[in-house]
Each structure stands twice: as C-alpha cells, then as structure tokens.
Amino acid sequence: KNEVEQSPQNLTAQEGEFITINCSYSVGISALHWLQQHPGGGIVSLFMLSSGKKKHGRLIATINIQEKHSSLHITASHPRDSAVYICAAFNTGNQFYFGTGTSLTVIP
Amino acid sequence: DAGVTQSPTHLIKTRGQQVTLRCSPKSGHDTVSWYQQALGQGPQFIFQYYEEEERQRGNFPDRFSGHQFPNYSSELNVNALLLGDSALYLCASSLSSVDYGYTFGSGTRLTVV
C-alpha cells in the first residue's frame, strides 16, 4: 500500500466545472504539498499545507490532520488547468512521499 | 529567474553505459534532492545531499550515486544503465533549515536503449 493515495487517477471535466482531487496519507507529516506537472515534466509547487486551508486564485487546498486527508479544488476550471496534480507528504524524517498523481483534462 | 536548472533536458544512452545528470539549485538553497519518475508514476526519492554529503537515501541500488559541490550544485550518476532506468529525473532544491519551499527543476528525460 502506498503511503500517499490519490483519487481519482484520471479526471475529465468541461470548462467551468468545479473540480476536486483527494489525497489520503498514512505517514506522519510536517507538511503536505500539492504539485502541478505539465506535459514535458516540469513540476510546480502549488501549495504547502500543515493545517487548515489555503487559496491562490482559483485553487483551494484544504487539509484535515486528524483524518490524514487533503483536497485540492479548482473553481471555474479552464483548459490551461490540464495537467497532472500530485500530492506529496513531507514527513518528519525530511523525506517526501509522492502520490501517483491525478491526470486532469479540461475540455473547452 | 534563479530557479532550479537541470541539464541536459533529454538524453539517450545505451544499456551498460554510464550517465551524469546535473542540477543547479535555486539561489539561496543549500539542499538538493533527486527523484526518478517512471512514465505514469509519481516521483520516487533517490537521495538528498546537504553539505556535500548524502543525507538520506531511498531504495535505489548502488549504481545510483551522487555528489554535491561547494556551490551546492549536484550531480546524479548512474552506472551500468538498464532499460528500466529510462525515466524523468527530477531535482529539487530547498533550504535545510525549513521544510517548505521546495523548488523543482524541469527534469532530465533519460532514455536507455
């Protein structure tokens, strides 16, 4: 069993839809990161969370430490949001555990 | 922009050869971590370098080795390449004193034929 599980693995949405990607983890963490990876490989760090909720533009990330669960929400989705979204748990041993990613395709 | 720079961007090698990948960390960062990402998978931690020493290592064979230089840049070396080593190799830099602000490079796409 992976230390970090994401769902869904693949997601197709119509432009404008509200999107939710879920992440559950089993390790003790000091922080949880949401990453975005576009075709070609480059990874961009979207959020780092240790509690509560953060918002950046149309992106919202929440975390529930007690339930070991985090969600990434995209409001008013756009085709340029199409990418792989990766949840990564940063444990107290200074190591990342990555989920396998959620491949999002937003159709115009 | 003084982000993480990796070179080369793409590389094709023959099975059995050796390869060296390079990473320059973001300005102000002192720690470099390397990851291997196979197609359709999440990244897997290879190792992390700090103060020119390997601080942590993932579950990778000794064929994978690295180095960190006094200017904090780093190299990943893979010997005796196998077809299964074909992957995207990502480098991330950070500041050792904090647990956030990881910056990733765009990766090196290695193909072993």
Coordinates of all heavy atoms in Angstrom, one line a residue, chain A residues 30-31 33 35 37 40-45 48 84 86 90-91 93-101, chain B residues 35 37 40-45 48 55-58 88 90 98-102 104-107 109:
Chain A
S30 N 5.0 16.6 8.4 CA 5.2 18.0 8.9 C 4.5 19.0 7.9 O 4.2 20.1 8.3 CB 6.7 18.3 9.1 OG 7.3 18.2 7.8
A31 N 4.3 18.5 6.7 CA 3.6 19.4 5.7 C 3.1 18.5 4.5 O 3.7 17.4 4.3 CB 4.5 20.5 5.2
H33 N 2.2 18.8 0.4 CA 2.4 19.7 -0.8 C 1.5 19.2 -1.9 O 1.3 18.0 -2.1 CB 3.8 19.6 -1.3 CG 4.9 20.2 -0.4 ND1 5.6 21.3 -0.6 CD2 5.3 19.7 0.8 CE1 6.4 21.5 0.4 NE2 6.3 20.6 1.3
L35 N 1.4 19.6 -6.0 CA 2.3 19.9 -7.1 C 1.5 19.8 -8.4 O 0.6 19.0 -8.5 CB 3.5 19.0 -7.1 CG 4.2 18.8 -5.8 CD1 5.3 17.6 -5.9 CD2 4.9 20.1 -5.4
Q37 N 2.2 19.2 -12.5 CA 3.2 18.8 -13.5 C 2.5 18.8 -14.9 O 1.6 18.1 -15.2 CB 3.7 17.4 -13.2 CG 4.8 16.9 -14.1 CD 5.4 15.6 -13.7 OE1 4.8 14.7 -13.2 NE2 6.7 15.4 -13.9
G40 N 5.8 17.2 -20.4 CA 7.2 17.6 -20.6 C 8.0 17.5 -19.3 O 9.2 17.5 -19.3
G41 N 7.3 17.5 -18.1 CA 7.9 17.1 -16.9 C 8.0 18.2 -15.8 O 7.9 17.8 -14.6
G42 N 8.1 19.4 -16.1 CA 8.4 20.4 -15.0 C 7.4 20.4 -13.9 O 6.2 20.4 -14.2
I43 N 7.8 20.4 -12.7 CA 6.9 20.4 -11.6 C 6.9 21.8 -10.9 O 7.9 22.4 -10.6 CB 7.3 19.3 -10.5 CG1 7.0 17.9 -11.1 CG2 6.6 19.5 -9.2 CD1 7.4 16.8 -10.2
V44 N 5.7 22.2 -10.6 CA 5.5 23.5 -9.9 C 4.8 23.2 -8.6 O 3.8 22.5 -8.5 CB 4.6 24.5 -10.7 CG1 4.3 25.7 -9.9 CG2 5.3 24.8 -12.0
S45 N 5.3 23.8 -7.5 CA 4.7 23.6 -6.2 C 3.6 24.6 -6.1 O 3.7 25.8 -6.2 CB 5.8 23.9 -5.1 OG 5.2 23.8 -3.9
M48 N 1.8 24.5 0.0 CA 2.3 23.7 1.1 C 1.4 24.0 2.3 O 1.1 25.1 2.7 CB 3.8 24.2 1.5 CG 4.5 23.3 2.5 SD 4.1 23.6 4.2 CE 4.7 25.2 4.4
V84 N -1.1 17.1 -14.6 CA -1.1 16.1 -13.6 C -0.9 16.8 -12.2 O 0.0 17.6 -12.1 CB 0.0 15.0 -13.8 CG1 0.0 14.0 -12.6 CG2 -0.2 14.3 -15.1
I86 N -0.1 16.3 -8.3 CA 0.5 15.3 -7.4 C 0.4 15.8 -6.0 O 0.8 16.9 -5.7 CB 2.0 15.1 -7.8 CG1 2.1 14.6 -9.3 CG2 2.6 14.1 -6.9 CD1 3.5 14.6 -9.8
F90 N 5.3 15.4 3.2 CA 6.6 15.6 3.7 C 6.7 15.2 5.1 O 6.1 15.8 6.0 CB 7.0 17.1 3.5 CG 8.4 17.4 3.8 CD1 9.4 17.1 2.8 CD2 8.8 18.1 4.9 CE1 10.7 17.4 3.1 CE2 10.1 18.4 5.2 CZ 11.1 18.0 4.2
N91 N 7.4 14.1 5.4 CA 7.3 13.5 6.7 C 8.3 14.2 7.7 O 9.2 15.0 7.2 CB 7.4 12.0 6.7 CG 8.8 11.5 6.5 OD1 9.7 12.3 6.2 ND2 9.1 10.3 6.7
G93 N 10.7 12.9 9.0 CA 12.1 12.4 8.7 C 12.7 13.1 7.5 O 13.7 12.7 6.9
N94 N 12.1 14.2 7.1 CA 12.7 15.1 6.0 C 12.7 14.4 4.6 O 13.6 14.5 3.9 CB 14.1 15.5 6.4 CG 14.6 16.7 5.6 OD1 13.8 17.5 5.3 ND2 15.9 16.7 5.3
Q95 N 11.6 13.6 4.4 CA 11.5 12.9 3.1 C 10.1 13.0 2.5 O 9.1 13.1 3.3 CB 11.8 11.4 3.3 CG 11.8 10.6 2.1 CD 12.3 9.2 2.4 OE1 13.0 8.9 3.3 NE2 11.9 8.2 1.5
F96 N 10.0 13.1 1.2 CA 8.8 13.2 0.5 C 8.2 11.8 0.2 O 9.0 10.9 -0.2 CB 9.0 13.9 -0.8 CG 8.7 15.4 -0.8 CD1 9.7 16.3 -1.2 CD2 7.5 15.9 -0.4 CE1 9.5 17.6 -1.2 CE2 7.3 17.3 -0.4 CZ 8.3 18.1 -0.8
Y97 N 6.9 11.7 0.3 CA 6.2 10.5 -0.2 C 5.2 11.1 -1.2 O 4.4 11.9 -0.9 CB 5.5 9.7 0.9 CG 6.4 9.1 1.9 CD1 6.8 9.7 3.0 CD2 6.9 7.8 1.6 CE1 7.7 9.1 3.9 CE2 7.7 7.1 2.5 CZ 8.1 7.8 3.6 OH 9.0 7.2 4.5
F98 N 5.3 10.6 -2.5 CA 4.5 11.1 -3.5 C 3.3 10.2 -3.9 O 3.5 9.0 -3.9 CB 5.3 11.3 -4.8 CG 6.3 12.4 -4.8 CD1 7.6 12.1 -4.3 CD2 6.1 13.7 -5.2 CE1 8.6 13.1 -4.2 CE2 7.0 14.7 -5.2 CZ 8.3 14.4 -4.7
G99 N 2.2 10.8 -4.2 CA 1.1 10.1 -4.8 C 1.4 9.8 -6.2 O 2.4 10.4 -6.8
T100 N 0.6 9.0 -6.9 CA 0.9 8.7 -8.3 C 0.3 9.7 -9.2 O 0.5 9.7 -10.4 CB 0.3 7.3 -8.7 OG1 -1.0 7.3 -8.3 CG2 1.1 6.2 -8.0
G101 N -0.4 10.7 -8.7 CA -0.9 11.8 -9.5 C -2.3 11.6 -10.0 O -2.8 10.5 -10.2
Chain B
Y35 N 15.0 12.7 -7.7 CA 13.9 11.8 -7.8 C 13.8 11.2 -9.2 O 14.2 11.8 -10.2 CB 12.5 12.6 -7.6 CG 12.4 13.3 -6.3 CD1 12.9 14.5 -6.1 CD2 11.8 12.6 -5.2 CE1 12.9 15.2 -4.9 CE2 11.7 13.2 -4.0 CZ 12.3 14.5 -3.8 OH 12.2 15.1 -2.6
Q37 N 11.2 9.5 -11.9 CA 9.8 9.4 -12.2 C 9.6 8.5 -13.5 O 9.8 9.0 -14.6 CB 9.1 10.7 -12.4 CG 7.6 10.6 -12.6 CD 6.9 12.0 -12.7 OE1 7.6 13.0 -13.1 NE2 5.7 12.1 -12.3
G40 N 4.0 7.5 -16.0 CA 2.7 7.2 -15.4 C 2.8 7.0 -13.9 O 1.8 6.6 -13.3
Q41 N 3.9 7.2 -13.3 CA 4.1 7.0 -11.9 C 4.5 8.3 -11.2 O 4.9 9.3 -11.8 CB 5.3 6.0 -11.6 CG 5.1 4.7 -12.2 CD 3.9 3.9 -11.6 OE1 3.7 3.9 -10.4 NE2 3.1 3.3 -12.5
G42 N 4.3 8.4 -9.9 CA 4.8 9.5 -9.1 C 6.3 9.4 -8.9 O 6.9 8.4 -9.1
P43 N 6.9 10.5 -8.6 CA 8.3 10.5 -8.4 C 8.7 9.6 -7.2 O 8.0 9.5 -6.2 CB 8.7 12.0 -8.1 CG 7.5 12.8 -8.6 CD 6.3 11.9 -8.5
Q44 N 9.9 9.0 -7.3 CA 10.4 8.2 -6.3 C 11.7 8.8 -5.8 O 12.6 9.2 -6.6 CB 10.7 6.7 -6.8 CG 9.5 6.0 -7.2 CD 8.6 5.6 -6.1 OE1 9.1 5.2 -5.0 NE2 7.3 5.8 -6.2
F45 N 11.9 8.9 -4.5 CA 13.1 9.6 -3.9 C 14.3 8.7 -4.1 O 14.3 7.5 -3.7 CB 12.8 9.8 -2.4 CG 13.9 10.3 -1.6 CD1 14.3 11.6 -1.8 CD2 14.6 9.6 -0.7 CE1 15.4 12.2 -1.1 CE2 15.6 10.1 0.1 CZ 16.0 11.4 -0.1
Q48 N 19.3 12.6 -1.1 CA 19.3 14.0 -0.8 C 20.7 14.4 -0.4 O 21.4 13.6 0.4 CB 18.3 14.4 0.3 CG 18.3 15.9 0.6 CD 17.3 16.2 1.7 OE1 17.6 16.0 2.9 NE2 16.1 16.6 1.4
R55 N 22.6 12.7 2.7 CA 22.0 12.8 4.0 C 20.9 11.7 4.1 O 20.7 11.2 5.2 CB 21.4 14.2 4.2 CG 20.8 14.4 5.6 CD 20.6 15.8 5.9 NE 19.6 16.5 5.1 CZ 19.1 17.7 5.4 NH1 19.6 18.4 6.5 NH2 18.2 18.3 4.7
Q56 N 20.3 11.4 3.0 CA 19.2 10.4 3.1 C 19.2 9.7 1.7 O 19.6 10.3 0.7 CB 17.9 11.0 3.3 CG 17.5 11.3 4.7 CD 16.0 11.4 4.9 OE1 15.3 11.8 4.0 NE2 15.5 11.0 6.1
R57 N 18.8 8.4 1.7 CA 18.8 7.7 0.5 C 17.5 6.8 0.4 O 17.1 6.3 1.4 CB 20.0 6.7 0.4 CG 20.1 6.0 -0.9 CD 21.4 5.2 -0.9 NE 21.6 4.6 -2.2 CZ 22.3 5.1 -3.2 NH1 22.9 6.2 -3.0 NH2 22.4 4.5 -4.4
G58 N 16.9 6.8 -0.7 CA 15.8 5.9 -1.0 C 16.2 4.5 -1.3 O 17.4 4.2 -1.2
L88 N 12.1 10.1 -16.1 CA 12.4 11.5 -15.9 C 13.1 11.7 -14.6 O 12.6 11.2 -13.6 CB 11.1 12.3 -16.0 CG 11.2 13.8 -15.7 CD1 11.8 14.5 -17.0 CD2 9.8 14.4 -15.5
L90 N 14.2 14.1 -11.7 CA 13.9 15.4 -11.2 C 14.8 15.8 -10.1 O 15.1 15.0 -9.2 CB 12.4 15.5 -10.7 CG 11.4 15.3 -11.8 CD1 10.0 14.9 -11.2 CD2 11.2 16.6 -12.6
V98 N 14.4 24.8 6.7 CA 12.9 24.9 6.7 C 12.4 23.7 5.9 O 13.1 23.1 5.2 CB 12.4 26.2 6.0 CG1 12.8 27.4 6.8 CG2 12.9 26.3 4.6
D99 N 11.1 23.4 6.1 CA 10.5 22.2 5.5 C 9.5 22.6 4.4 O 8.6 21.8 4.1 CB 9.9 21.3 6.5 CG 8.7 21.9 7.2 OD1 8.4 23.1 6.9 OD2 8.2 21.3 8.1
Y100 N 9.7 23.7 3.9 CA 8.8 24.1 2.8 C 9.6 24.8 1.7 O 10.8 24.9 1.8 CB 7.7 25.1 3.3 CG 8.2 26.3 3.9 CD1 8.5 27.5 3.2 CD2 8.5 26.4 5.3 CE1 9.0 28.6 3.8 CE2 9.0 27.5 5.9 CZ 9.2 28.6 5.1 OH 9.7 29.8 5.7
G101 N 8.9 25.2 0.6 CA 9.6 26.0 -0.4 C 10.5 25.1 -1.3 O 11.5 25.6 -1.8
Y102 N 10.2 23.8 -1.4 CA 10.9 23.0 -2.4 C 10.6 23.6 -3.8 O 9.5 23.8 -4.2 CB 10.4 21.6 -2.3 CG 11.1 20.8 -1.3 CD1 11.0 21.0 0.1 CD2 12.0 19.7 -1.6 CE1 11.6 20.3 1.0 CE2 12.6 19.0 -0.7 CZ 12.5 19.3 0.6 OH 13.1 18.5 1.6
F104 N 11.3 22.6 -7.8 CA 11.7 21.5 -8.7 C 12.2 22.1 -10.0 O 11.8 23.1 -10.5 CB 10.5 20.6 -9.0 CG 10.1 19.7 -7.8 CD1 9.3 20.2 -6.8 CD2 10.5 18.4 -7.8 CE1 8.9 19.4 -5.7 CE2 10.1 17.6 -6.7 CZ 9.4 18.1 -5.7
G105 N 13.2 21.3 -10.6 CA 13.6 21.6 -11.9 C 12.7 21.0 -12.9 O 11.7 20.2 -12.5
S106 N 12.9 21.2 -14.2 CA 12.1 20.6 -15.2 C 12.4 19.2 -15.6 O 11.7 18.6 -16.3 CB 12.2 21.5 -16.5 OG 11.7 22.8 -16.2
G107 N 13.5 18.7 -15.0 CA 13.8 17.3 -15.2 C 14.7 17.0 -16.4 O 14.9 17.9 -17.3
R109 N 15.0 14.0 -19.2 CA 14.4 12.8 -19.7 C 15.5 11.8 -20.2 O 16.2 12.1 -21.2 CB 13.4 13.1 -20.8 CG 12.8 12.0 -21.5 CD 11.8 11.3 -20.7 NE 10.6 12.1 -20.4 CZ 9.7 11.7 -19.6 NH1 9.7 10.6 -19.0 NH2 8.7 12.6 -19.4

